[in-house]
Structures are given as structure tokens and as C-alpha cells.
Amino acid sequence: MMSEAAVEEAVGAKVDSQPPVKMQGRMVCVYYGDSQALYDVNLDIRKNQVTALIGPSGCGKSTFLRCLNRMNDTIDTCQVKGSITLDGGDIYDASVDVVELRARVGMVFQKPNPFPKSIYENIAYGPRIHGLARTKSEFDEIVETSLRKAGLFEEVKDRLTSPGTGLSGGQQQRLCIARAIAVSPEVILMDEPCSALDPIATAKVEELIDELRQNFTIVIVTHSMQQAARVSQRTAMFHLGNLVEEGDTDKMFTNPDDQRTQDYITGRFG
Amino acid sequence: MIAYLFLFLIIAATIAYFIASRRAVAIAGNDARGLHSRPIYHGLNALVYTAIPAFIFILLWLLFEGSVIDMLLMSAYPGADAMTGAERDLLLSEIRQVAVGNIFREPTPEITAAVERFHSLNATANLLLGAAVVIIALAGAGLAVTSVSKRFLARHSFERSVTIFMIFASTVAILTTLGIVASLLYEAYLFFERVPVTDFLFGIRWEPQIPLREDQIAGQGAFGAIPVFVGTILISFLAMAVAVPVGILSAIYLTEYASPRFRAVVKPMLEVLAGIPTVVYGFFAVLTVAPALRQAGISIGLDVAPNSAIAAGGVMGIMLIPFISSLSDDAFAAVPQAIRDGSLAVGATKGETIRKVLLPAALPGIVGGVLLALSRAIGETMIVVMAAGLIAKMTVNPLDSVTTVTVQIVTLLIGDSEFDNPKTLAAFALGLMLFIITLFLNLIALRIVRKYRESY
Ligand SMILES: Nc1ncnc2c1ncn2[C@@H]1O[C@H](COP(=O)(O)OP(=O)(O)O)[C@@H](O)[C@H]1O
Ligand SMILES: [Mg+2]
């Protein structure tokens, strides 16, 4: 006899070979003042996968992304309805501490935004706030591993004390990724992380995203179809505040169900 | 006379402007591109050539006219060679007084002759000046107008004039500062000839009213500046103790927490504080704050002097709040939103973001504001005169009355206009010290700002 859990697992494995759901949005509506930016979005973010959000600009990709770690709270006029869960718990519940949430769901922004501090302090900032390390050597270790994971360590190891703002654009963005990694989040949100970077820096960051998938769940907004195709396993297509279609990246790019997705991917609008 | 000359220059320059620009237009004909400089530059160039050299000539003339006329008057005055400088000055001023009709006693025949001579010299001078100005202006105008041609670089020429004017403008400030320093240094030197520097710097008794006669100056220690500086430091410290926390915290509240509507109302109100005359603050300190403090002191058994350092310092602190809050406010507002977002996104609270990211990033602006306020505190006079007292006491008790450098300078100079005794000259020595201290503060500020700057 199989245990109940084992049965469920076996059945689940047959029906759905996908990894478990990490974050889940149900009927998410977002308003900026009186104007609605998102309409009833239902989207699952799966564990250890890269989910790409695509769509023409102004369609609400960033808005949705910022709902996932409640960065929208910083905008006074912004209101979020519906439910968003992380490991099954509603992140908009009154009992949730937004500070803890953001430690679990990190974010990398469109424009690299390192603090005007040293490279070392940029990374150590988060761990220090959350008390993740006590001694100097523990901090050193976190800084080094974070920089290594972000593929930046070799480039900056001799100048950890020089300002993070002195790095090149691509290095700054990887520094920001390292900063996000340093607090060991479970999910990393990236809002067009390569749009301010040159092709070589972009390639490095894409490579990095692919590696990070082993340890983190990643949601990336991108306006580049090729990038979505290269780095993601799942793709969600937004249009005018609606989630048009969502599915495996391979299928989305070869055989989309929706005409709008087809048009967008082939460059007919966007 | 001078007014007429200026009027003439303005009219002449305007006419030259029109003639030159018309001429340029005429030369260009239909082919506007054939002209190197646009007609307006030919006009402006003519304007500058006409007015500026003549204007400079007038200024130079006025600078030297007086002394040249004096010299001529004296050389014709019988027996002037034998006179001392002071006698000459007296005589000259008498001649001038008589010349404008202020006759106090019957002038001697020599004086009457000199006055007549003075009048004729003046008339000649005016005639010469007028003729010279007209000639210079016309020559300038003529030069500029005749040089109008297709290839004449009128724009370059005009822009060069503008550059020279800008250089002149920027040197005015520097020269003024140098002039102030030089006069301070000179008067202070006169003081230190009478009182040893060491007595001034290290003495702990400040009783400048005592030495009335020359032979008493030797009485050591009467000009020890330490108590006065202690007073200044004490009051500045009290003022900063009020202004720095209140200023920075209100800036943080206004930029980071307040609603835009609240900010729109409160920020201008805070800045009004900077516009209140210091005399009014003085009233407030002496009529409201000091009695209240005294009352409060009595009720808890403390002896507060009627003129107390804490009343003056506290009110001065209120006065300084807007300096600090408004510069810190600008500094906070200049930190990009992206950096705040970056901090919030790693799970920092608003407070942590402010303390660990915003404050360091805004530090240069804040330090700038604090040092500006400190310079004001050190230099502030009125509030202290009214509320803190005049007697130099060697104390750091904020409840006692103290005096400050600026107050002493005022009291030393009031009533006296002879700058030949140590009492009045001491004011310049104090002024020099104050200048050196604020200069150092500024240098330190620059250092700090450069060292801790976290640029974004
Ligand atoms: N802070 C804001 N205040 C008001 N409206 C906003 C704000 N941010 C975004 N919007 C609006 O929400 C819609 C979606 O924006 P966004 O999510 O940034 O689109 P995307 O990232 O897909 O380009 C747009 O119409 C935009 O104008
Ligand atoms: Mg966007």
C-alpha cells in the first residue's frame, strides 16, 4: 500500500511534471489611483525556474513584478486586489512583515542602483540589516560567495573597498544581483535587468541567470524576445493589463495559442 | 557733470549700435551668409567700443582728480612746504568747506585765493574730462563702425569683451576679500604692537575698559581673549545643540515621511524663520525665553542669571534651524529614488534606509548646512548683545551670563572713533581671530565633505 502523500505525488508526477509552485497570483487587480493597470491576473511562478514576463511597454509587467515583493507599497496611490501567495501564504495578509517578505523575495532593477558605498559594503548591507553574520570573517565569506555567484568576484577582488558606483554598467548590475543574493532570498525578481547594458554585459548576466536557477526562483521582465527564449522556461505574455497567455517558453515561441502572442513574438506590434 | 557724461555715453553708444548694425546689413546686402558675424554683433561691438573705454577713463579720472587738485592747490599755497601732513589735511578740508559755502570763520586772504584757484582748477578739470570723454567715445565708435566688413570678426571681438567683463566681475569679490583681510591684518598689527600676542591669545582676563592711559597698558592680562572665545564657543555649542538635531530631523521628516501637502505648507514656514531679523529674536530671547528659564530655574532650585548663555544660545539655535533643515532637505531630495528602492528591496526598513543609505549619501549637504549654521552662530551679534550679557566671564555654565567675540567688538567700538588705543584696536584683533576661525571651519568642512562624500 502506498501512503496518501506518495499516491498524490505519483499522480501529480504523471499529470504535471512541472516543479512545485513557489508563488501564485490569483485574480490580481492593481490600480494606480482611479486607473486600473492589471485585470484579474492568474499566474503561477514555479520553483527553480525562470519565468519571463513579456509584452508591449505599459502593459503592466513591472506592476505585476512589483506586486510580488510589495515594492508597490512605496507608491501611495497604488492598490492591489486579489491574492498573491508565497509557499501558500498570502503575502498581502496583515500578519506579513514586508521586511521579511523582501528578504525572501529580492529584486534587481532596470537601472543598476548600487549604493554610494564600497563594493564590500554594498553586499554586506543586507546581511548586516538582517543579522545574517556576526564576525568579520562571516561577512567576508558572504561577500565573497555572493560575488562569486554573481560572477563578479574575480573582477573586483582587489578593489572591494572602492566605490560600487565606480564599476562599469554591467558590473554594477551584477553587483546589484550579488547584493540581492547576499540575503539568500528564495525568489529573485528582475525588471529588465539588461536594458541598460551592452551586448557583452548582457550575455554575462543571461549566463548568470541561467546558473542562478539552480538555487533560486527567478521572475524576469524583458522586452527582448530572444532573451526570454534564451533564459526562461516559462513565459507569460501581458497585453493592456491582461495576462494573455502563459506556458512553456518553447511552446510560446513556436506555437502560441493566442493571436496577440503570435503577433508580438513575430514583431508585428510592441 | 558726470551724470551728463554718462547720458552722453549712453546716447552715443546706442547711436553707434544702430549705425554699425545698419552698415553691416547694408554691406551684406542680400547675402546674409556672406557676413562673418550677424549684424547684431557688429552693433554690440560698436556699443562696447564707444561706451566702455570712455567709461573706464571716467572712473580713472575720478580716482585721481581729487589728489591731483590737492597737489596743485598746495603747490600754489604760500608756506605749504613747511606743513605736516595733518596740517595740510586740515587746510585742504577748510578750503573745500569754504568752496561749497560752509564758512565757519572769516577766511584768510590766502584761503580765499586758494578757493578761487580751487574753483578754476575744477572748471578746467571738468572741461578736460568732458573733451577727453567725447574724443574717446567718438574714436571708439569710429573705429568700430569703419571696421564693419564682411570678414570682420565682430562676434569674436564682442565675446572677448564679455569675457573680460566676467573676469572683472569675478575678481571684484576676491579683491574685496583681500582688502578686508589686509585692513584687518594692519589694524591687528597695530594692536599687537601695543599688547603682546601671547597675552592676547593665552590671557584669561578680559577687562578692556581699564587701561585708559598709555602707561597703564603694561598692566598685563587685561586683553586675554580666552574668556571671550570661551563665551563664543559656549553659545555656539548651545545653538548647534538645538539647531542640528531639530534641523536634520525635520528635514528627514519633510522629505521621507510627510505628505506632499504637509510639506508644501511647512517647508516655506520653516524658511520664514531665516527671514526674521535677529533683533526680533533678541527681543524674544530677552523678554520671553530668559524670564521663563529663570522662573523654571527657581522652581527647581537652580540659579539662572537674568542674562544667560542658554537663553541666547537656545534662541540662536531656533534661528539656525532653517539653514540646516533646508540644505539637508535639498541633500536628501537629491538622493535618487532608485537607491531608496534598492535598499527597501533587500528588506531594509524605512528607518534603516534613512540611517544607512540616505544619511551617508546626503552627508556633504548636511555638513555644508551645519557649517554654514556654525559660521552664523559664531558671527551672530544681536541676540547675544541683548540676551547673554557684556561681562567676560570664564565659565562654561550655560545658566551664567557670558559674552562673545562679536559682542565685545561692538562694545569696544561703540562711542569711540579714535583708533589709536589698544581698546579700540583690540576689536580688530578679535575680528582677525574670528576670521581665522571661520576660515579653518570652512577648510575642515571641505575636507570632511570630500572625504566622506558618497557620490551617486
Ligand atoms: N507609479 C505609477 N503611478 C501611476 N501609474 C503608473 C505608475 N507606474 C505605472 N503606471 C501605469 O501602469 C501601467 C503599467 O505600467 P508598467 O507596469 O510600468 O508597464 P511595463 O513595465 O509593462 O512597461 C502603465 O499604464 C503606467 O502608466
Ligand atoms: Mg517596466
Side-chain angles (χ1 to χ4, degrees):
Chain A
M1 285 299 280
M2 284 194 217
S3 75
E4 217 165 55
V7 172
E8 216 173 282
E9 202 170 273
V11 174
K14 226 175 255 166
V15 175
D16 184 6
S17 62
Q18 298 281 356
V21 171
K22 183 75 187 171
M23 295 191 82
Q24 188 173 57
R26 283 294 173 264
M27 304 300 280
V28 177
C29 297
V30 179
Y31 305 81
Y32 290 110
D34 292 333
S35 74
Q36 191 166 357
L38 281 183
Y39 300 85
D40 301 331
V41 173
N42 295 304
L43 183 64
D44 291 350
I45 311 290
R46 287 171 188 280
K47 199 164 181 238
N48 294 87
Q49 280 197 339
V50 177
T51 306
L53 310 183
I54 61 169
S57 68
C59 67
K61 307 179 296 287
S62 301
T63 301
F64 183 74
L65 195 73
R66 291 164 63 90
C67 287
L68 298 178
N69 70 343
R70 293 184 53 177
M71 278 305 279
N72 280 334
D73 290 12
T74 60
I75 299 168
D76 291 333
T77 58
C78 184
Q79 251 193 315
V80 180
K81 299 242 169 77
S83 91
I84 298 176
T85 59
L86 172 63
D87 288 340
D90 188 348
I91 62 169
Y92 279 88
D93 193 79
S95 66
V96 170
D97 180 7
V98 59
V99 164
E100 263 169 52
L101 171 70
R102 288 183 192 146
R104 292 176 66 192
V105 184
M107 187 161 198
V108 175
F109 296 82
Q110 184 165 0
K111 233 182 103 213
N113 58 348
F115 301 133
K117 298 175 180 296
S118 70
I119 293 172
Y120 186 97
E121 280 305 317
N122 261 282
I123 312 287
Y125 181 77
R128 191 162 283 149
I129 286 175
H130 297 293
L132 301 185
R134 286 219 182 69
T135 62
K136 175 90 171 70
S137 63
E138 282 174 349
F139 274 111
D140 289 350
E141 197 189 317
I142 291 185
V143 169
E144 183 176 338
T145 46
S146 306
L147 282 172
R148 274 198 197 286
K149 280 189 201 155
L152 192 61
F153 187 72
E154 290 305 322
E155 286 162 68
V156 300
K157 65 179 177 209
D158 299 324
R159 48 171 174 151
L160 290 176
T161 53
S162 56
T165 42
L167 298 172
S168 75
Q171 290 173 324
Q172 284 189 18
Q173 194 62 300
R174 279 180 283 147
L175 179 66
C176 291
I177 294 175
R179 178 175 75 189
I181 294 172
V183 291
S184 313
E186 297 156 36
V187 183
I188 301 177
L189 312 174
M190 301 187 176
D191 192 350
E192 305 194 19
C194 301
S195 64
L197 307 185
D198 64 72
I200 293 174
T202 300
K204 281 199 174 158
V205 172
E206 283 180 7
E207 210 174 291
L208 172 62
I209 291 170
D210 203 46
E211 281 166 27
L212 292 177
R213 183 159 65 89
Q214 314 300 325
N215 302 313
F216 305 95
T217 303
I218 293 172
V219 186
I220 178 172
V221 170
T222 174
H223 59 237
S224 153
M225 291 311 101
Q226 292 90 332
Q227 186 170 69
R230 278 194 299 263
V231 301
S232 74
Q233 285 73 53
R234 303 278 294 179
T235 298
M237 161 79 191
F238 284 74
H239 186 233
L240 297 177
N242 293 294
L243 176 64
V244 171
E245 185 177 357
E246 179 252 324
D248 282 343
T249 300
D250 295 342
K251 175 165 181 299
M252 288 281 283
F253 278 85
T254 50
N255 183 19
D257 292 332
D258 197 285
Q259 185 59 36
R260 285 170 294 182
T261 314
Q262 174 82 40
D263 289 349
Y264 184 63
I265 286 167
T266 54
R268 228 161 292 168
F269 70 85
Chain B
M1 173 68 191
I2 302 296
Y4 287 124
L5 282 181
F6 282 141
L7 192 66
F8 164 76
L9 280 187
I10 292 171
I11 295 172
T14 317
I15 294 173
Y17 171 85
F18 281 111
I19 293 178
S21 53
R22 286 281 154 74
R23 211 172 117 87
V25 171
I27 287 177
N30 289 330
D31 175 26
R33 302 225 123 238
L35 214 54
H36 168 272
S37 306
R38 284 169 44 224
I40 184 171
Y41 285 110
H42 289 280
L44 287 172
N45 191 46
L47 188 142
V48 168
Y49 268 60
T50 311
I52 302 302
F55 179 69
I56 293 172
F57 181 79
I58 293 177
L59 290 187
L60 289 177
W61 181 282
L62 291 181
L63 207 58
F64 294 111
E65 185 185 68
S67 44
V68 171
I69 288 185
D70 285 353
M71 219 173 67
L72 292 176
L73 276 180
M74 282 295 105
S75 67
Y77 197 88
D81 296 341
M83 288 181 179
T84 65
E87 282 171 331
R88 278 163 167 258
D89 287 347
L90 215 62
L91 182 63
L92 280 170
S93 84
E94 187 175 356
I95 294 171
R96 280 170 191 275
Q97 287 297 324
V98 174
V100 294
N102 293 337
I103 301 173
F104 302 112
R105 56 179 168 135
E106 196 54 36
T108 59
E110 287 90 358
I111 297 227
T112 321
V115 167
E116 248 157 50
R117 204 173 146 66
F118 177 73
H119 281 309
S120 83
L121 279 174
N122 255 346
T124 323
N126 277 344
L127 206 65
L128 279 176
L129 174 63
V133 165
V134 171
I135 290 171
I136 294 173
L138 290 184
L143 181 64
V145 170
T146 50
S147 55
V148 173
S149 74
K150 282 196 173 179
R151 296 317 307 160
F152 177 55
L153 308 183
R155 178 165 50 81
H156 295 212
S157 171
F158 174 68
E159 278 167 359
R160 200 156 44 238
S161 314
V162 172
T163 314
I164 291 171
F165 181 73
M166 288 191 283
I167 292 171
F168 169 74
S170 56
T171 40
V172 166
I174 297 169
L175 290 179
T176 315
T177 314
L178 286 180
I180 291 173
V181 173
S183 80
L184 259 185
L185 278 175
Y186 176 68
E187 303 286 350
Y189 169 75
L190 292 182
F191 173 74
F192 289 126
E193 271 189 335
R194 292 168 169 80
V195 177
V197 183
T198 46
D199 286 7
F200 177 75
L201 287 183
F202 304 115
I204 53 167
R205 268 176 58 229
W206 177 263
E207 284 147 18
Q209 311 295 345
I210 295 169
L212 292 174
R213 291 196 317 274
E214 290 285 309
D215 50 66
Q216 282 184 323
I217 298 166
Q220 300 280 309
F223 284 102
I226 285 187
V228 189
F229 278 95
V230 167
T232 289
I233 291 167
L234 176 62
I235 289 203
S236 305
F237 175 80
L238 290 171
M240 299 311 280
V242 172
V244 170
V246 176
I248 294 180
L249 289 178
S250 64
I252 290 177
Y253 179 71
L254 285 179
T255 45
E256 304 302 318
Y257 292 97
S259 72
R261 268 186 37 231
F262 183 81
R263 180 181 155 86
V265 175
V266 170
K267 200 172 182 232
M269 277 168 64
L270 252 180
E271 273 153 18
V272 164
L273 282 180
I276 298 176
T278 54
V279 190
V280 177
Y281 280 108
F283 283 146
F284 180 60
V286 77
L287 295 180
T288 314
V289 177
L293 283 173
R294 198 165 159 72
Q295 212 60 48
I298 288 169
S299 67
I300 56 169
L302 274 176
D303 183 26
V304 183
N307 281 328
S308 60
I310 191 159
V315 171
M316 200 193 287
I318 307 280
M319 178 190 85
L320 297 175
I321 290 171
F323 288 90
I324 296 179
S325 76
S326 123
L327 278 162
S328 311
D329 191 303
D330 292 346
F332 285 125
V335 180
Q337 181 63 33
I339 290 178
R340 284 166 237 249
D341 285 347
S343 170
L344 294 175
V346 292
T349 63
K350 202 158 186 172
E352 286 163 341
T353 304
I354 290 169
R355 264 183 296 126
K356 300 200 169 144
V357 177
L358 245 52
L359 271 178
L363 191 75
I366 296 172
V367 172
V370 168
L371 281 150
L372 182 66
L374 185 56
S375 305
R376 282 293 303 247
I378 291 174
E380 174 52 40
T381 317
M382 212 58 218
I383 296 176
V384 196
V385 170
M386 295 173 80
L390 299 175
I391 310 297
K393 264 193 214 163
M394 188 73 173
T395 176
V396 289
N397 177 4
L399 306 180
D400 214 339
S401 83
V402 295
T403 190
T404 66
V405 178
T406 48
V407 170
Q408 284 311 307
I409 293 178
V410 171
T411 50
L412 288 174
L413 293 183
I414 281 177
D416 267 302
S417 56
E418 272 182 56
F419 295 103
D420 57 356
N421 61 46
K423 183 190 159 217
T424 39
L425 286 175
F428 293 97
L430 288 178
L432 181 68
M433 287 296 292
L434 211 54
F435 178 79
I436 293 172
I437 289 172
T438 37
L439 192 71
F440 259 95
L441 276 179
N442 279 323
L443 289 180
I444 294 169
L446 278 182
R447 270 275 156 102
I448 293 176
V449 168
R450 220 171 280 151
K451 177 147 185 242
Y452 293 102
R453 157 156 275 152
E454 292 191 341
S455 55
Y456 31 82

